[in-house]
Amino acid sequence: MSERALSSLTGPVVLVGAGKMGGAMLEGWLKLGLPARLAVAVDPHLPAEPTAALAAKGVQVNPPKDAIATPSVLLLAVKPQVAPEVLPQVAPLVGPGTLVVSVMAGRTLGFIAGAMPAGTAIVRAIPNTPAAIGRGVSVAVANGAVTAEGRALAGALLGAIGIVEWVEDEDLMDAATAVSGSGPAYAFLLAEALAEAGAKAGLPADLSARIARATVSGAGALMDQSDLPAATLRQNVTSPGGTTAAALAVLMDEKAGFGPLLTDAVAAATRRGKELAG
């Protein structure tokens, strides 16, 4: 479905912002079959080396705006703080059949719609940083103008960098961001804290850091490849009365354990997301 959705496009996919996230998406689209002649990257701040690399693949990089055909898709991957300046500049590219997809954090469907022609079909998505290696999670929501075909197209574009999950209520995006968008930081903190704990238990600091990092990434890979729930995988590691059980008795404390801490952390991130969105 993804390959068909991208290879059947007639108008270009115009990527506004070709930094780490946008660049990863563009590479994914080309691998999935998007013809390079239909890929346009608009990013005046893109360094010379990646500009030359994209141009060598046949991607149009920073062409004059009047030379860009009406896009099938306009994908917004700029930093949210520059959105008020950038969106009015690219809005004239949008035609009646253009799908606008945004991966800007904190910028709502309403905000984007306010800068676009009336009736524009808009999808808002929040990918996370593992998208850089094709292992991202994107949570997406569509406005009422997005058709089933538009949703499938957006899913194909976002699917180039990982899995896509849809919500119907935009109010859920802040909680989704707190889980998936911020979630990689929680996993990195786990590896960091585990390394520090190992060093305090007597391990050489560099050894503790290496095995903590490998343990967290290995457990994630095992969970990814298993159909078992996370709770079952945890139970499979835990022998009654053993060392893991002793550790989990601390981590699973009902008042001060890992669960209550993460609940508070996700709630804090959700509140902050709502504050940033206004």
Side-chain angles (χ1 to χ4, degrees):
M1 178 62 189
S2 296
E3 291 84 351
R4 291 200 305 272
L6 295 185
S7 62
S8 64
L9 290 175
T10 55
V13 175
V14 178
L15 173 67
V16 182
K20 290 183 179 179
M21 185 66 72
M25 297 183 80
L26 179 53
E27 290 294 333
W29 302 337
L30 295 174
K31 290 178 182 176
L32 282 177
L34 177 69
R37 61 183 174 78
L38 292 180
V40 180
V42 177
D43 189 337
H45 303 294
L46 192 64
E49 186 174 341
T51 294
L54 288 174
K57 294 178 181 179
V59 175
Q60 301 177 64
V61 183
N62 293 323
K65 286 192 174 58
D66 58 6
I68 301 175
T70 300
S72 288
V73 180
L74 180 72
L75 194 136
L76 306 171
V78 297
K79 295 184 183 301
Q81 56 267 35
V82 302
E85 174 188 350
V86 172
L87 266 59
Q89 296 177 18
V90 298
L93 296 173
V94 174
T98 300
L99 173 67
V100 173
V101 180
S102 168
V103 295
M104 299 183 296
R107 293 302 186 179
T108 65
L109 290 171
F111 173 87
I112 300 163
M116 298 294 153
T120 297
I122 303 170
V123 170
R124 174 189 173 197
I126 303 294
N128 61 10
T129 54
I133 59 169
R135 296 292 301 277
V137 176
S138 297
V139 180
V141 64
N143 73 357
V146 178
T147 63
E149 292 77 12
R151 185 179 287 235
L153 177 55
L157 293 167
L158 296 167
I161 53 171
I163 70 168
V164 184
E165 298 287 350
W166 292 87
V167 296
E168 300 305 318
D169 183 355
E170 189 177 13
D171 286 343
L172 296 177
M173 292 293 282
D174 293 309
T177 302
V179 174
S180 64
S182 301
Y186 313 155
F188 301 148
L189 177 60
L190 173 60
E192 182 184 354
L194 187 58
E196 292 176 357
K200 289 178 180 177
L203 288 173
D206 59 342
L207 173 62
S208 188
R210 289 197 302 274
I211 63 176
R213 182 185 183 119
T215 297
V216 172
S217 61
L222 174 61
M223 184 164 57
D224 182 62
Q225 295 179 26
S226 174
D227 292 329
L228 295 174
T232 302
L233 293 172
R234 169 181 56 77
Q235 292 161 2
N236 289 346
V237 183
T238 310
S239 300
T243 58
T244 305
L248 288 177
V250 176
L251 291 174
M252 297 179 70
D253 182 87
E254 291 184 359
K255 293 184 178 180
F258 202 41
L261 279 175
L262 269 183
T263 298
D264 290 345
V266 169
T270 301
R271 286 194 302 272
R272 184 56 178 156
K274 292 183 184 300
E275 291 169 0
L276 292 174

